[in-house]
Amino acid sequence: MTDSTTASWGSPFTEEEELYRETVRTFISRELEPRYLEIPARGPERRQLWRKAGEAGILGACIPEEFGGAGASTLCNVILSYELGRSASYGTIGSFVATDLATSMLVQGGSKALLDRWAPKILSGEVVQCLALTEPNAGSDATAIRTTAVREGDEYVINGQKTFITNADMADVIYVVVKTDPTKRGRGMSVLLVESDRPGVTQRPLKTMGFPAGNTGEVYLENVRVPVGNLIGEEGGAFKLLSSSLDADRLQIGGRALAQAELAHQLTVDYVKQRKAFGHTLLEFQNTQFKLAEAKADLEAGRAFFHSAVRKVRAGQCSEADTAMTKLWLTEMSVRVIDNCLQLWGGAGFMDEMPISRIYTSNRVLRIYGGTSEILKMLIARSL
């Protein structure tokens, strides 16, 4: 489903951004929604979809014009994420192409040589990217990572493991967050671009609770050598790159949570209008009306909160606490709305064939990645 309410009165998005939204919707409605249940998690067909996304013009929106891109703001990533969440296909195929925050790291810190080499392939969908930060013992506490990169002449030698990474099992370009100076914790972290075909790189898919055709995986790096020129930003500058990327990531996750809740509500309203019990439609029961009314109020408040954050981003006034509050409230709200909606489906809602079922399971991770709800509360409290 691709109809949306974000273009309603008071939308904070520009005309150009709304045109980009329409491009994304068209791609989703043509390429994903008619057959998302048959799309494989990996393989040639998945690769072909990436190329089609490139042909549609929805990849690499933030790449500057001099490198062939549109030079758009990170708000295009937010729009892409929202529209994917507003589609029933998301609960099956996962984030898919809504991972352009990796591109923003290349744009922020990559050299001209790296952008000349990779920008055209990113835009065309020829290459798949991923950002590898999380490790088995380091999630929200990024400074706890153990993956190291030791400089030897004109190369870095990387050793470590990354896990729970979107697109990790099929990525061609991996932005690996490493410790170049383990004695300095956060100030000793750097980002290196690693081509997945380098010796010592092993990629493996992971099976998750949601997203039957999703691409969550892990990466092993054993004595992987990359040239010094593959450094993104400055040595020890990972935190600066990650801070802006994580803020944008939290906003786009919040948008996706809002979109999923909106979709669940719309599907449920349609369902209770035709489902009957004891000779009446479910919508005629006061409990149904109250639950859907509560959800509607939550959605309207959530949309206002989301739009407020977008306006702050555009004005350059969106703080870490702002993005933390936005993600916290929207993801917590979405699970409340979706759970109440599924309840109104009864046994049908528990069936995997029903879109509401996969909306429910896929929504759960939104309160975990990009910063757990608990970590976000700490960030907000720190700003008081």
Side-chain angles (χ1 to χ4, degrees), residues 198-237:
R198 287 188 177 274
V201 176
T202 302
Q203 298 161 278
R204 192 174 75 88
L206 294 171
K207 187 175 178 58
T208 59
M209 180 175 74
F211 310 127
N215 282 108
T216 300
E218 56 188 353
V219 182
Y220 296 87
L221 305 112
E222 184 176 0
N223 295 320
V224 178
R225 291 181 174 271
V226 298
V228 171
N230 277 24
L231 180 68
I232 304 294
E234 300 176 351
E235 188 170 295

Side-chain angles (χ1 to χ4, degrees), residues 271 275 342-357:
Y271 178 75
R275 179 74 165 90
L342 186 142
Q343 185 71 17
L344 294 174
W345 286 72
F350 194 63
M351 298 299 103
D352 184 61
E353 66 188 78
M354 295 295 183
I356 190 71
S357 175

Side-chain angles (χ1 to χ4, degrees), residues 109-227:
S111 65
K112 184 178 184 300
L114 287 176
L115 279 161
D116 280 334
R117 179 183 179 187
W118 293 111
K121 296 180 179 180
I122 293 168
L123 289 164
S124 68
E126 181 180 345
V127 301
V128 176
Q129 306 172 94
C130 74
L131 172 60
L133 170 61
T134 304
E135 298 182 3
N137 295 301
S140 296
D141 181 9
T143 62
I145 65 170
R146 298 178 182 177
T147 298
T148 60
V150 179
R151 183 163 178 173
E152 293 184 2
D154 293 332
E155 294 181 317
Y156 285 103
V157 182
I158 308 171
N159 283 280
Q161 176 189 357
K162 300 293 183 178
T163 192
F164 311 147
I165 310 300
T166 302
N167 290 329
D169 64 313
M170 63 180 291
D172 307 290
V173 174
I174 308 169
Y175 300 90
V176 183
V177 184
V178 299
K179 285 280 184 71
T180 43
D181 187 346
T183 66
K184 294 183 179 179
R185 287 182 62 79
R187 292 182 292 111
M189 295 165 57
S190 306
V191 180
L192 290 168
L193 185 153
V194 178
E195 300 91 338
S196 63
D197 58 359
R198 287 188 177 274
V201 176
T202 302
Q203 298 161 278
R204 192 174 75 88
L206 294 171
K207 187 175 178 58
T208 59
M209 180 175 74
F211 310 127
N215 282 108
T216 300
E218 56 188 353
V219 182
Y220 296 87
L221 305 112
E222 184 176 0
N223 295 320
V224 178
R225 291 181 174 271
V226 298

Side-chain angles (χ1 to χ4, degrees), residues 321-342:
D322 287 325
T323 59
M325 287 187 289
T326 303
K327 179 183 182 295
L328 175 66
W329 198 88
L330 288 173
T331 54
E332 295 285 344
M333 177 275 290
S334 70
V335 76
R336 181 170 65 247
V337 168
I338 293 169
D339 184 74
N340 283 332
C341 284
L342 186 142

Side-chain angles (χ1 to χ4, degrees), residues 271-379:
Y271 178 75
V272 297
K273 285 180 178 179
Q274 54 85 27
R275 179 74 165 90
K276 289 189 174 182
F278 305 105
H280 298 275
T281 65
L282 294 186
L283 187 57
E284 292 179 76
F285 292 100
Q286 190 178 63
N287 178 70
T288 303
Q289 296 172 12
F290 280 6
K291 290 296 182 183
L292 292 175
E294 291 168 1
K296 180 64 174 177
D298 268 343
L299 292 173
E300 289 296 323
R303 193 174 304 114
F305 200 171
F306 177 57
H307 284 184
S308 174
V310 170
R311 291 189 180 94
K312 286 183 178 180
V313 169
R314 199 178 302 286
Q317 299 175 348
C318 196
S319 67
E320 180 184 58
D322 287 325
T323 59
M325 287 187 289
T326 303
K327 179 183 182 295
L328 175 66
W329 198 88
L330 288 173
T331 54
E332 295 285 344
M333 177 275 290
S334 70
V335 76
R336 181 170 65 247
V337 168
I338 293 169
D339 184 74
N340 283 332
C341 284
L342 186 142
Q343 185 71 17
L344 294 174
W345 286 72
F350 194 63
M351 298 299 103
D352 184 61
E353 66 188 78
M354 295 295 183
I356 190 71
S357 175
R358 292 191 178 182
I359 292 172
Y360 182 87
T361 54
S362 61
N363 179 265
R364 185 59 184 86
V365 74
L366 300 183
R367 288 183 287 159
I368 298 174
Y369 68 14
T372 64
S373 293
E374 292 73 23
I375 292 295
L376 297 180
K377 290 174 184 177
M378 292 172 60
L379 293 176

Side-chain angles (χ1 to χ4, degrees), residues 93-111:
I93 64 176
S95 298
F96 189 38
V97 294
T99 55
D100 236 2
L101 289 172
T103 311
S104 66
M105 295 198 74
L106 178 64
V107 171
Q108 279 184 272
S111 65

